[in-house]
Amino acid sequence: MRVPGLIALAGLLLVAACASPGAQRPAPTPPAPATRPLPLPSPPLPGPLLPTPPAPPRPEAAAIELGELPGWAEEDHVAAFEGWRAICPVRRLPAFAAACRAAMAVDLLDADEARTFFETRFLAQPLPGEGVLTGYFAPVYEARRVPDETFSAPLRPPPADLPPEGGRYPDRAAIEARPPSDALAWLQPEDKFFLQIQGSGTLIFPEGPPERAVFAGTNSQPFSGVANAMRERGLLEAGQTSAEGIRAWLAANRGPGAAEIMALNPRYVFFRLAKEDGLPPRGAAAVPLPPGRAIAVDLSLHTAGDVYWIDARSPILAGAFPTYRRLVTALDTGGAIRGPIRADLYLGQGAEAGLEAGRIRHVLRLYRLVPRP
């Protein structure tokens, strides 16, 4: 899950807002990835967030029929239904109880039946204004038990003198200057940097089973993305400040150059190692995250379990899909996810999901599904 204090990949791209539009790939809106067992992409909270307290009042807008949503006719309604039904227990408000009972009582629906299920039970309430959609994923990185010339970045556990969350601790550069006598594992520097952005992931060792690197705390320093700084310094061209572009530059400039760039983000994430059990990831709502159907939102402004239609378009990063229009559920949160029209779309596990997630920075409109009166 992407808890407050956890920096998602979206956080890295959050500061890329000034990048100019890059080349866009003429491709249809991608289908939601199939659900599959994944490692936890983010840390567990002290306890489930649900049931959550009511979110602050939001400006009300006139609800519209689902058929009026941009892209609704092209939606994979069967995938939307299965994704929504899988997390139905999250939405515990009485208004959703009848729809959940009906969903759990039927077998698989065909496309027309799934579409009708939603259209006869819900309306869509537009949220005012526009914001930003980004993406995140569950990384899988190679690691070593002992350091070498390539795997030189220590994965550190929380230090004994780490204050409670909110208590300021030394920044990234100061922590990295300390002897790594307590290192849990060793990664390539750019991999560790992105693992800290994601909050957790799977480590693959040459010998023995894989292990899960689990979020274990931060230094409570503010997060600062590096994309704009790299563009302003002429290190990356506008439109090329995607995650893949940043990671490639860091890999090609290992040493003082890359360390200087990574130090621009003073926030530091500590980890613990756990057995990799192959179970699906769980977000802040304490339920599995369906790839392509879960978003992280600002839970001070939204309620975990709320269902949304995302209408995301006008990407600024090269190679991005032109639009993301689909039904999603708010199941997660993140330290860089702030504001009422701000969402981070979970894409799944591994390099392919990471490649797509790193290219998402789209103009976003949100519609919240509400039960019909």
Side-chain angles (χ1 to χ4, degrees):
M1 77 193 71
R2 300 157 73 78
V3 298
L6 170 62
I7 300 93
L9 180 60
L12 177 70
L13 300 180
L14 181 62
V15 296
C18 297
S20 60
Q24 297 180 12
R25 176 173 59 195
T29 301
T35 303
R36 56 193 183 279
L38 302 172
L40 281 169
S42 50
L45 290 176
L49 288 184
L50 298 179
T52 57
R58 291 171 288 195
E60 295 296 325
I64 63 175
E65 297 290 337
L66 300 191
E68 300 178 52
L69 292 170
W72 176 253
E74 292 73 44
E75 165 69 306
D76 183 342
H77 296 99
V78 173
F81 175 78
E82 290 302 315
W84 177 79
R85 180 166 67 170
I87 54 82
C88 211
V90 176
R91 205 62 174 97
R92 297 172 183 172
L93 294 183
F96 284 79
C100 279
R101 285 195 299 269
M104 301 304 292
V106 300
D107 294 325
L108 292 176
L109 303 180
D110 63 26
D112 289 338
E113 291 170 335
R115 178 172 178 171
T116 300
F117 179 91
F118 287 116
E119 291 179 348
T120 57
R121 289 172 173 83
F122 299 102
L123 296 170
Q125 187 177 64
L127 273 62
E130 294 185 336
V132 177
L133 178 73
T134 49
Y136 71 111
F137 74 113
V140 178
Y141 293 137
E142 290 187 50
R144 298 291 185 268
R145 301 292 182 184
V146 295
D148 59 29
E149 183 177 343
T150 301
F151 292 84
S152 59
L155 196 71
R156 299 174 187 257
D161 59 343
L162 185 69
E165 186 70 24
R168 195 61 62 88
Y169 196 73
D171 63 13
R172 174 180 295 275
I175 295 172
E176 294 288 34
R178 296 182 174 184
S181 57
D182 57 354
L184 303 171
W186 297 82
L187 284 76
Q188 298 178 83
E190 62 277 6
D191 286 348
K192 189 183 85 168
F193 185 67
F194 275 88
L195 182 66
Q196 290 180 309
I197 291 169
Q198 292 303 106
S200 70
T202 297
L203 305 183
I204 306 297
F205 296 93
E207 67 291 326
E211 295 190 56
R212 181 176 295 164
V214 180
F215 175 92
T218 77
N219 62 347
S220 295
Q221 293 276 356
F223 174 80
S224 179
V226 301
N228 274 356
M230 296 181 73
R231 179 178 54 80
E232 291 166 359
R233 296 184 184 197
L235 304 178
L236 290 174
E237 296 294 330
Q240 300 298 322
T241 54
S242 62
E244 63 186 295
I246 293 171
R247 187 182 182 282
W249 189 95
L250 294 175
N253 293 273
R254 288 178 188 157
E260 179 184 356
I261 292 299
M262 291 187 287
L264 296 176
N265 175 21
R267 194 170 182 86
Y268 199 91
V269 176
F270 301 102
F271 294 90
R272 62 180 177 86
L273 294 184
K275 179 182 178 181
E276 177 52 72
D277 54 17
L279 295 176
R282 292 176 180 268
V287 296
L289 297 173
R293 295 290 174 179
I295 56 172
V297 295
D298 186 342
L299 288 179
S300 70
L301 301 172
H302 299 273
T303 301
D306 270 358
V307 183
Y308 294 92
W309 180 259
I310 58 172
D311 173 22
R313 64 203 185 284
S314 304
I316 69 169
L317 296 174
F321 287 110
T323 59
Y324 285 86
R325 288 169 173 153
R326 62 182 64 171
L327 203 68
V328 296
T329 304
L331 296 176
D332 218 343
T333 190
I337 312 303
R338 293 290 179 263
I341 314 297
R342 179 73 177 92
D344 206 16
L345 179 64
Y346 176 66
L347 270 300
Q349 177 196 21
E352 184 176 350
L355 184 65
E356 182 179 353
R359 294 173 176 176
I360 300 177
R361 185 172 180 82
H362 293 55
V363 175
L364 174 67
R365 288 185 294 174
L366 276 178
Y367 300 78
R368 182 166 56 96
L369 263 64
V370 294
R372 285 185 177 275

